[in-house]
Amino acid sequence: MRLLVLAVLLSVVVSHPSEAKRMNIYGETLVTDITPESGAMWTRVNHQAPLYPIELAKARMAGCTVLSFDVVESGKAENIQTVISIPHTKISRHAKSIVSQWQWQTDQTPTAKESHTVRLDFCLGLESTEKTQQACAKQVQLPCE
């Protein structure tokens, strides 16, 4: 009897491979500067889109978060605070990690910290990179609330 049950289980596992192994997931992260709108003393050194966090992709988690922070004389972001994070605080944690790694530069002599607010959109898709980018461009237009 044990051998029969083992044989049936083995045939099910071999004939039905895991669906997760065959599924592609496409992630897109977009950054939108909210404030300052113009005349900022500090600008981000690298404007390349951040990589989608692996932990969020594995959890199939998408959403948006708005962060406020100060850029200080060293060119680093400090005092990073979550204004809003939808749908989960995990997204906020990853967004804070991304912002904390950014380098900032200025052509002026920095005299004081400068406050910034940014929105990060984390988008997932199952079809293609292009479709995910299109969906993310639409998501950015929606309120993050």
Side-chain angles (χ1 to χ4, degrees):
M1 183 67 174
R2 284 184 181 170
L3 288 176
L4 180 61
V5 171
L6 182 59
V8 169
L9 286 175
L10 187 58
S11 70
V12 169
V13 169
V14 170
S15 64
H16 296 13
S18 172
E19 197 58 35
K21 290 182 182 178
R22 291 188 281 159
M23 182 178 293
N24 290 325
I25 298 175
Y26 303 90
E28 179 79 13
T29 306
L30 293 181
V31 177
T32 306
D33 294 315
I34 298 174
T35 63
E37 292 179 18
S38 63
M41 176 173 50
W42 291 95
T43 57
R44 206 164 19 113
V45 172
N46 183 355
H47 287 279
Q48 185 175 348
L51 294 176
Y52 202 95
I54 296 294
E55 183 181 335
L56 295 182
K58 285 181 179 178
R60 295 189 184 165
M61 190 174 295
C64 64
T65 189
V66 175
L67 301 175
S68 66
F69 56 93
D70 298 320
V71 179
V72 296
E73 290 181 21
S74 65
K76 292 277 193 181
E78 291 185 355
N79 193 28
I80 304 169
Q81 301 293 318
T82 302
V83 176
I84 192 161
S85 186
I86 304 297
H88 199 275
T89 56
K90 268 189 185 179
I91 289 177
S92 172
R93 188 176 74 234
H94 287 285
K96 284 180 177 182
S97 175
I98 289 168
V99 169
S100 71
Q101 295 173 29
W102 287 345
Q103 294 291 318
W104 296 78
Q105 65 185 7
T106 182
D107 294 334
Q108 305 170 22
T109 303
T111 55
K113 63 185 178 184
E114 182 175 70
S115 296
H116 285 254
T117 305
V118 296
R119 173 180 168 157
L120 284 88
D121 282 273
F122 298 94
C123 310
L124 285 178
L126 300 175
E127 292 182 45
S128 68
T129 301
E130 295 77 22
K131 294 270 187 187
T132 303
Q133 289 171 341
Q134 291 170 359
C136 209
K138 290 179 183 176
Q139 178 178 311
V140 170
Q141 302 302 315
L142 300 173
C144 185
E145 52 186 36

